[in-house]
Amino acid sequence: MKVEALKYRTVFNSGGHAALEVGIMSDKRWYFSQIPSGQSAGEREAKVFSVPEVQSVWKKINLQAEGRKFKNLAEFDDFILRLDGTERKTVLGGNVLLGLSLAFARALADGKRMELWEILREEFFGKVRGVEYPVIYANLIEGGVHAQNNLDIQEYLVLAQTGPNPIATVGELIAFYETLGEYLANKAKLRPLPIGSESGYNLIWRNNEEPITALAKIIKATNLPFRIGLDVAASEFYEDGAYRFEGRKKTTLNLRNIYAKYFKKYPGLISLEDPFGENNRDGFREIMKNSEGRLVVGDDLTTTNPKEIERCAREKLISGVIIKANQIGTLSETCLAIETAHRNGLKCIISHRGQETEDVFLMHIARAANAYGVKIGAPGRERILKYNELLRLYP
Ligand code: PGA
Ligand code: ZN
């Protein structure tokens, strides 16, 4: 496929910050991508370029890529990765590389009259067949840096297993979100309820446990087959060798005991993401030994890096992993990260970012790879587009 022309412009993400849109022209048609960004980004993530930084490297990219032909996505990604030449994408920017990679993939897919997910499956997931319906990870109560409240834990998620009739599950999830909202509005005597970055409710709570109790209560009351997950994003409250939790300093062991208590009290709590800081490997190792079948999920720990995922799997630090394409930079590397995770027996949860755009590419990655889960926020605002794409791709 020939790259006939390239362009970029600034759009705005859900946080109102500048986000990158990249366009690639092939066969006289333009194909676009929009790149989300993290709010609680891990320190090993690919570098995000600001608008002036993108401007300063665009000419070089244009000169090199315009008019060139590539036989597939891997070849194109390889070419842009070589132009950058760094592990953390500090020369061209991770958002720039992903923007290019995704726009190219869309052009390639259209040229072959295929969907984006079909191109990804053909090129990177040769052995994957059929369809596996994903678990939706819906962040319904927000804290940490995604909200303006007193919760240290960043996300309280409802986990909904979809099946051959995903519209039913999505409908139940939307009803659940509304029922929870009604309950919380009455409890807090507050209308309308404030919401956080991912459209989850953003309220003041007695402690970090209370939202789990609320979710468990509504699950029981509605009798829906939903489970609970937490994304602690513990790197965000780790400072000077300790965790600052509920206004007090906590050691790794203190935190582990808190999680043990949650596990005991809430059997429906089956997924725990980033329970410790991204450099606290011992914390992960210990909790994995005592997780009793629950998923221990790496996000800031692994940053969608195939080498890190392999290492964490070998060291038995995690049983699941968050996949965010912009943490690593290109779709090829993202697919390799998933393949590495699957080869090591880890479950993959393909995830949005705190600051999303209207692009729905994450759902195509999930469909291509038959991923275990998709993390797409509460069913509101720009996040609902991901739900609708799920319904389109998983009929
Ligand atoms: P982020 O976290 O702010 O780093 O994108 C989002 C998430 O994990 O849901
Ligand atoms: Zn996370």
Side-chain angles (χ1 to χ4, degrees):
M1 190 201 96
K2 189 170 168 191
V3 174
E4 290 163 4
L6 303 95
K7 65 180 174 185
Y8 76 92
R9 67 177 182 130
T10 300
V11 292
F12 289 95
N13 65 25
S14 63
H17 300 279
L20 181 67
E21 180 182 270
V22 170
I24 284 184
M25 189 201 265
S26 162
D27 215 2
K28 299 197 182 62
R29 273 194 214 157
W30 284 104
Y31 298 90
F32 294 98
S33 61
Q34 287 186 354
I35 305 307
S37 56
Q39 240 171 311
S40 60
E43 63 186 36
R44 289 183 286 271
E45 291 194 19
K47 188 160 181 342
V48 178
F49 269 26
S50 64
V51 178
E53 285 172 311
V54 177
Q55 198 173 12
S56 71
V57 295
W58 194 259
K59 207 166 159 197
K60 174 179 170 182
I61 295 169
N62 215 27
L63 271 174
Q64 296 287 335
E66 199 178 59
R68 260 184 208 262
K69 277 191 180 159
F70 303 90
K71 70 171 193 294
N72 53 31
L73 178 58
E75 194 178 288
F76 178 78
D77 283 349
D78 201 49
F79 171 77
I80 56 175
L81 283 170
R82 255 190 262 181
L83 271 187
D84 177 89
T86 65
E87 187 86 0
R88 294 252 336 265
K89 324 290 150 60
T90 52
V91 172
L92 298 180
N95 50 338
V96 177
L97 294 193
L98 182 60
L100 291 164
S101 177
L102 181 52
F104 182 91
R106 286 204 165 110
L108 189 67
D110 197 47
K112 294 189 173 192
R113 301 287 173 269
M114 287 164 89
E115 289 261 12
L116 175 58
W117 75 265
E118 292 174 308
I119 276 280
L120 297 178
R121 180 169 288 190
E122 182 180 85
E123 226 181 295
F124 303 102
F125 303 104
K127 290 192 199 118
V128 174
R129 298 267 181 281
V131 51
E132 292 237 7
Y133 290 91
V135 176
I136 299 174
Y137 276 58
N139 179 10
L140 301 191
I141 298 175
E142 303 202 46
V145 300
H146 283 185
Q148 299 76 38
N149 61 33
N150 61 341
L151 294 174
D152 302 300
I153 293 179
Q154 182 176 288
E155 306 180 11
Y156 296 79
L157 305 118
V158 160
L159 276 42
Q161 173 72 62
T162 60
N165 188 15
I167 196 162
T169 312
V170 170
E172 285 166 359
L173 193 51
I174 291 173
F176 184 93
Y177 178 53
E178 282 167 7
T179 307
L180 176 68
E182 229 4 78
Y183 168 75
L184 296 179
N186 289 335
K187 194 163 131 78
K189 298 193 177 45
L190 196 60
R191 262 169 226 276
L193 286 176
I195 54 172
S197 305
E198 301 181 349
S199 286
Y201 300 118
N202 170 9
L203 295 164
I204 305 291
W205 297 81
R206 267 207 299 274
N207 53 40
N208 282 281
E209 185 183 337
E210 202 187 6
I212 314 177
T213 317
L215 290 182
K217 189 180 166 120
I218 306 295
I219 290 174
K220 196 160 178 222
T222 54
N223 200 23
L224 286 163
F226 294 168
R227 313 287 195 95
I228 298 170
L230 297 177
D231 178 4
V232 181
S235 294
E236 295 296 323
F237 56 84
Y238 183 77
E239 52 190 55
D240 304 330
Y243 294 95
R244 186 115 207 125
F245 191 83
E246 297 180 347
R248 294 220 169 84
K249 278 194 171 181
K250 304 275 183 201
T251 62
T252 300
L253 182 61
N254 295 151
L255 265 194
R256 196 145 62 75
N257 288 334
I258 291 170
Y259 302 137
K261 184 179 85 179
Y262 293 170
F263 284 168
K264 210 163 164 210
K265 270 176 91 170
Y266 308 97
L269 173 58
I270 59 156
S271 181
L272 183 65
E273 178 182 336
D274 279 347
F276 300 102
E278 60 210 299
N279 297 312
N280 187 349
R281 305 179 81 79
D282 290 338
F284 277 90
R285 190 174 294 112
E286 286 305 314
I287 199 156
M288 262 291 277
K289 284 188 203 150
N290 300 293
S291 60
E292 294 161 32
R294 290 164 168 99
L295 277 189
V296 176
V297 181
D299 173 14
D300 292 346
L301 176 76
T302 36
T303 58
T304 316
N305 184 322
K307 281 185 223 147
E308 275 305 316
I309 291 172
E310 180 102 48
R311 190 155 80 104
C312 291
R314 276 221 202 103
E315 293 178 20
K316 295 196 170 30
L317 307 190
I318 47 173
S319 48
V321 64
I322 291 286
I323 300 289
K324 295 167 167 168
N326 80 321
Q327 284 181 327
I328 186 73
T330 60
L331 287 177
S332 300
E333 293 164 292
T334 306
C335 293
L336 178 62
I338 297 171
E339 191 272 319
T340 307
H342 283 167
R343 186 162 30 79
N344 283 282
L346 304 182
K347 291 199 159 49
C348 288
I349 300 140
I350 319 299
S351 170
H352 65 170
R353 299 307 312 250
Q355 295 183 346
E356 260 303 320
T357 66
E358 291 180 4
D359 202 310
V360 292
F361 69 89
L362 83 89
M363 210 51 81
H364 288 254
I365 298 174
R367 180 75 171 87
N370 272 353
Y372 162 79
V374 289
K375 197 174 167 193
I376 51 181
R381 296 189 299 183
E382 72 292 337
R383 314 279 154 173
I384 202 78
L385 300 176
K386 275 74 172 174
Y387 284 83
N388 285 334
E389 190 70 353
L390 185 152
L391 296 180
R392 193 177 77 77
L393 298 186
Y394 293 89

